[in-house]
Amino acid sequence: MSLAVVALSGGMDSCVAASIAKNEGYKLALLHADYGQLTEARERRAFDELADHFDVPSHKRLVVPLQALKLIGGSSLTTASIPMENGNIDRDNLPNTYVPFRNAHLLATCVSWAEVIGAGEIFVGFVEHDSSGYPDCGVAFVKAFETVANIGTGINTNVAIKAPLIDMTKAEIIIAGMSLGAPLHLTWSCYKSETIPCGQCDSCLLRLRGFEQAGYIDPITAK
């Protein structure tokens, strides 16, 4: 059975990506990044609960502090002086929740760990179209980073970066997750709150629309 590193934020998309990897027969090694985001503690809790659900042993769980992203700033997720914009899932501009080049830091860490533990695949929950439009979530970025990873690692390392959700809508992601029995009730998507989803940020709005279009009730708002 092959080993795969899964970048698991604790959100819905990464949960479904992990479920797909498990369904394809991979052993999972789960990586989570703390980078000073507003809901860091709640996302960590979601990661821990998801890791327990997938029965991943402690030595295959890695929580990485990417605090440089908070020090660099430039995002309302990491910088208190930048007010978060109201959610608008039909916007044309890049929202200020974008953390500059975050996913490059995330993928670089995943590649390093994959090289050390001998994982041949890295699964990510990136979504290109039905999302906030972050440039480091697209097909071109993933393909380019995979090329860089294989140039910059050891001669015996060959890593494939898999983004199985990248061309899917949120509704399609939810339907796929439900069909796989993904534990969506353990996930957290809200950018602002760690208790009750705000229902107003981009992430909440995308999730709410996805569940509505998929014809399911969101388990974290159904209590």
Side-chain angles (χ1 to χ4, degrees):
M1 186 180 291
S2 299
L3 180 64
V5 170
V6 180
L8 188 65
S9 68
M12 183 173 67
D13 298 338
S14 64
C15 170
V16 175
S19 297
I20 290 172
K22 189 174 181 68
N23 186 64
E24 290 181 1
Y26 290 96
K27 286 186 177 180
L28 305 185
L30 304 178
L31 185 145
H32 178 80
D34 286 341
Y35 55 94
Q37 65 271 39
L38 291 174
T39 55
E40 181 178 274
R42 185 62 183 84
E43 290 180 30
R44 173 80 76 88
R45 174 184 150 193
F47 168 78
D48 290 336
E49 291 176 351
L50 288 168
D52 289 343
H53 173 87
F54 289 118
D55 198 26
V56 174
S58 58
H59 69 283
K60 287 294 187 291
R61 306 182 189 189
L62 183 63
V63 176
V64 178
L66 297 181
Q67 297 302 316
L69 293 173
K70 184 173 180 64
L71 293 173
I72 291 167
S75 169
S76 61
L77 293 189
T78 59
T79 305
S81 61
I82 302 177
M84 189 179 298
E85 298 169 341
N86 291 330
N88 178 4
I89 53 180
D90 296 315
R91 72 172 79 244
D92 294 323
N93 62 313
L94 190 63
N96 70 6
T97 52
Y98 167 64
V99 180
F101 214 42
R102 180 194 65 179
N103 286 340
H105 294 258
L106 176 64
L107 282 178
T109 307
C110 288
V111 171
S112 293
W113 196 33
E115 185 168 21
V116 169
I117 65 177
E121 283 77 27
I122 295 168
F123 279 78
V124 293
F126 298 172
V127 180
E128 182 163 18
H129 300 295
D130 198 5
S131 63
S132 295
Y134 300 152
D136 56 353
C137 286
V139 172
F141 172 76
V142 171
K143 288 182 177 179
F145 205 98
E146 182 180 86
T147 299
V148 169
N150 285 302
I151 291 172
T153 50
I155 192 170
N156 294 320
T157 299
N158 185 20
V159 176
I161 299 176
K162 297 192 172 185
L165 316 180
I166 204 159
D167 291 321
M168 297 171 69
T169 67
K170 276 288 189 287
E172 290 169 337
I173 291 166
I174 290 163
I175 291 168
M178 290 294 190
S179 69
L180 292 169
L184 301 184
H185 63 290
L186 299 178
T187 64
W188 193 255
S189 301
C190 184
Y191 285 154
K192 289 184 177 180
S193 173
E194 295 189 309
T195 53
I196 299 172
C198 74
Q200 299 175 339
C201 67
D202 272 10
S203 188
C204 278
L205 292 175
L206 286 164
R207 179 172 177 137
L208 287 167
R209 185 176 70 178
F211 270 98
E212 181 180 359
Q213 291 177 342
Y216 289 100
I217 295 174
D218 186 346
I220 70 169
T221 59
K223 298 175 183 177

